[in-house]
Amino acid sequence: NQSLIYHHFGSKEELWKATKGYLLRDVFDNSNLQDETKTIEEFVDDSVRRRFDWYLKHPEVIRMVTWQRLEPKRKQLQGTAPMSVDSWVKIIPRMQKEGKIRPDLPAEMVIVMMANIIIAPMLDEHRFLKSKESCEKYVEVITEALIHALKPR
């Protein structure tokens, strides 16, 4: 009932965040992404594999993300889950300063590019992701492409 929702969560947005937080609990541990010695190859490979594999195992999150993207208040619905791309906001500029990622690319551009290339096939009903081999090939190709695009010239 609506009054109970507002009693426990305050608003529909808070209910959404709580539900999303529940689905994302103990999913991702980005602590290894904070490692100062991480190379661009390790960062991209680890980030792509973790997200991609998790999205495959949790199609319900894909539905939530898709719905969230349609909402005018989507910024308010994002939350701060450990796997949120917000975790990359600190990592990418640091890696740019260290000369591991091209400094001429805004961090926001890198984040959008990485996040969307990882989730893109899931938004298209897994049409070509029917086998473990095709999934592995996709991860391999996007990892190589991202490393090539992000590596300093």
Side-chain angles (χ1 to χ4, degrees):
N1 123 356
Q2 191 175 11
S3 63
L4 283 176
I5 289 172
Y6 284 100
H7 172 73
H8 290 288
F9 298 100
S11 68
K12 289 186 283 185
E13 289 83 5
E14 291 306 313
L15 172 61
W16 179 274
K17 286 181 194 177
T19 302
K20 190 173 166 188
Y22 177 79
L23 288 171
L24 299 175
R25 75 195 179 289
D26 26 276
V27 171
F28 303 104
D29 173 18
N30 280 333
S31 59
N32 65 333
L33 293 179
Q34 303 295 341
D35 186 331
E36 296 291 329
T37 62
K38 204 122 329 250
T39 65
I40 181 67
E41 292 84 1
E42 291 169 324
F43 169 68
V44 171
D45 185 66
D46 191 47
S47 298
V48 168
R49 286 182 187 283
R50 283 169 172 256
R51 273 181 181 270
F52 188 87
D53 290 346
W54 194 81
Y55 281 146
L56 278 179
K57 292 176 188 165
H58 298 280
E60 69 278 8
V61 173
I62 300 299
R63 286 190 296 277
M64 283 192 81
V65 168
T66 301
W67 186 259
Q68 179 178 298
R69 289 175 142 191
L70 298 173
E71 286 295 312
K73 296 180 179 180
R74 75 187 217 188
K75 238 344 187 188
Q76 295 171 343
L77 300 176
Q78 287 177 343
T80 56
M83 192 51 184
S84 166
V85 294
D86 292 343
S87 65
W88 293 343
V89 170
K90 294 177 186 167
I91 299 166
I92 291 168
R94 188 199 76 226
M95 292 183 79
Q96 287 175 314
K97 285 179 188 165
E98 294 171 354
K100 296 175 182 176
I101 293 179
R102 290 174 52 183
D104 62 314
L105 301 175
E108 295 80 14
M109 179 189 295
V110 175
I111 291 168
V112 167
M113 185 170 53
M114 287 180 64
N116 285 295
I117 198 169
I118 295 166
I119 199 171
M122 278 57 143
L123 300 173
D124 195 26
E125 301 178 27
H126 308 271
R127 290 175 199 238
F128 65 90
L129 301 177
K130 297 296 181 197
S131 69
K132 188 174 182 175
E133 294 78 19
S134 63
C135 290
E136 185 58 36
K137 189 62 171 179
Y138 183 76
V139 167
E140 179 186 315
V141 169
I142 67 170
T143 299
E144 285 178 23
L146 285 167
I147 291 168
H148 179 75
L150 300 177
K151 225 176 200 179
R153 310 247 184 260

